[in-house]
Amino acid sequence: MGLSANLFLRQTQSLVMTPQLMQSIQLLQMTHFELNQFIAQEVEKNPLLEITSSESENDAETGFETADDFAPIEDRESSAAAEVDSDWYEGSSSISAERLGEGLDTGFENVFPDDGPVRRADAPELLSQWKSMPGGESGEDYDLDDFVAGQVTLRDHLNQQIPFLIVDAASRLIAQHLVDQLDEAGYMLGDIEEIAARLGRSSENVEAILHSLQTLDPPGVFARSLSECLAIQLREKDRLDPAMEALIRHLDLLGKRDFASLRKICGVDDEDLIDMLAEIRGLNPKPGAGFERGMSETISPDIVVRAAPDGGWMVELNPDTLPRVLVNHTYFQTVSKNCPKNGDDHNFLSDCMQNANWLTRSLDQRAKTIMKVATEIVRQQDAFLMHGVDHLRPLNLKTVAEAIKMHESTVSRVTSNKYMLTPRGLFELKYFFTVSIGSAEEGGDSHSAEAVRHRIRLLIAQETPDAVLSDDDIVISLKRGGVELARRTVAKYREAMNIPSSVQRRREKRAIAGVAAY
């Protein structure tokens, strides 16, 4: 068989994922914070990109720059000089002595500046400190966030008490190390033996320091378990008797609402057990939760929905989350004139211009895509916005994708980590996508899973100790309301919402009401 070389003409189609196309896809699923970080990195690498503030007068929304924004420095200086000339002369050829004195700041009332008010020339370093004064030169109001005192963290609160409790320097270092082992709830996470071996001290010494730290405020801090946390608080209240010790040793039975077993273990009657349970409920299982955990981040909505005068809804992009990136064409033209053709500098500027144009187009396309998806979600969930969660319609990605002529993956990326501010509150876009549950009536509308879970919560919240609803009773009640749901599905929804069973709820409600827990 002979081998030979032949020429063939073949036509094929393929999808090539360029780096820019991959970045465009990634821009869709970026949060506001991640997008700002990405843009800051691009601006740092690309000299043709500029970030404008929301207060700027240029056309930031369309993504195009104006001539005044990137005018040469010489032109801006000449325009500033012209403004100064107009202020001095105002079309007249003579200058009065009073105006000359005002312009040169040489009024007789300022001869002794120490006795008069502070002026710009007297204390320029104080000008920036009062720039936010109302009625000042900047015209800005007070920023209340600048006057808010920082909240005390749990570690700061404990470090303020340790010097009054422990005097020895070596023991204080061990105490500081134990403070670092606390979690956000105030529990001790480290192992005593490992800490003692790491610090070169005996386990008994570290254990003694830990017991001393357990007397600090808030009560229950430095506990290694929930039982120890409750015991520390009860000991401080002088209520840690043998019956209470037996109760906190069997918290698993308390979680199961097995009050009959607890009454037998503790050796008390029903009235005493109810009093003990009331004391347990008054304790704090997370003593460190009331302190500042760190920097709290506020969620900025990407879409804002308002009621329109015609009865509909106005869907708008939040201007505070829209990135304002402009391309400086004037700077590009000025620099490219002085660069030789086909040189490294010229190629670098060409690449920067291409990347800058791509970024502005990608950001504009991202905003349009988010707007399309949000508008369709508002159209589909109009009943929810009008009447509440009971009227939340079942919705999936395919329905929205077909309505806006896009792929499901694109809709999925747009709805991830994006938030919508509505008259009903702030919701993530994925909140509006729920599975469909069939109707009990033939030909009736299907129901959203979130709306059904809301109905289950309402039914359980309205029950009484003598009429606790079982899962079968909930199924019957839902069927009367037009919702066809199996009992195992009701149990699954109830467990997902951390709602105990009917037996446990009956025991708890009767115990609270003072009825014997049988």
Side-chain angles (χ1 to χ4, degrees), residues 6 78 138 146 181 193 198 253 380 439 455 475 508:
N6 298 321
S78 61
S138 61
D146 296 338
Q181 303 296 322
E193 295 182 357
R198 190 183 308 119
L253 298 178
Q380 295 282 349
S439 175
R455 292 190 184 184
V475 170
E508 183 179 8

Side-chain angles (χ1 to χ4, degrees), residues 76-91 95 99 103-104:
R76 282 180 284 179
E77 290 178 351
S78 61
S79 62
E83 293 179 0
V84 173
D85 293 340
S86 62
D87 292 339
W88 275 94
Y89 293 100
E90 295 183 355
I95 304 174
R99 293 191 57 204
L104 296 176

Side-chain angles (χ1 to χ4, degrees), residues 304-413:
V304 179
V305 179
R306 300 184 180 91
D310 57 355
W313 302 99
M314 294 189 302
V315 183
E316 300 173 344
L317 293 173
N318 187 4
D320 295 334
T321 59
L322 284 178
R324 294 173 173 84
V325 182
L326 303 181
V327 182
N328 193 341
H329 290 277
T330 304
Y331 179 75
F332 172 76
Q333 295 175 359
T334 303
V335 177
S336 60
K337 291 179 181 178
N338 302 324
C339 295
K341 299 294 184 180
N342 299 327
D344 294 339
D345 296 339
H346 187 272
N347 294 334
F348 172 75
L349 286 176
S350 299
D351 293 339
C352 289
M353 176 58 69
Q354 182 180 359
N355 294 332
N357 290 330
W358 162 81
L359 180 60
T360 53
R361 289 195 301 267
S362 299
L363 293 176
D364 182 66
Q365 184 64 31
R366 176 182 182 271
K368 292 180 179 178
T369 305
I370 294 176
M371 189 67 178
K372 287 182 180 179
V373 174
T375 303
E376 181 61 23
I377 290 176
V378 171
R379 191 184 70 83
Q380 295 282 349
Q381 302 293 354
D382 176 73
F384 164 77
L385 297 175
M386 292 290 294
H387 306 289
V389 69
D390 286 337
H391 298 268
L392 187 66
R393 293 181 53 188
L395 187 64
N396 52 30
L397 298 175
K398 183 179 180 180
T399 303
V400 177
E402 291 177 352
I404 62 177
K405 303 297 188 295
M406 288 185 178
H407 197 267
E408 293 182 40
S409 61
T410 303
V411 178
S412 177
R413 291 187 179 95

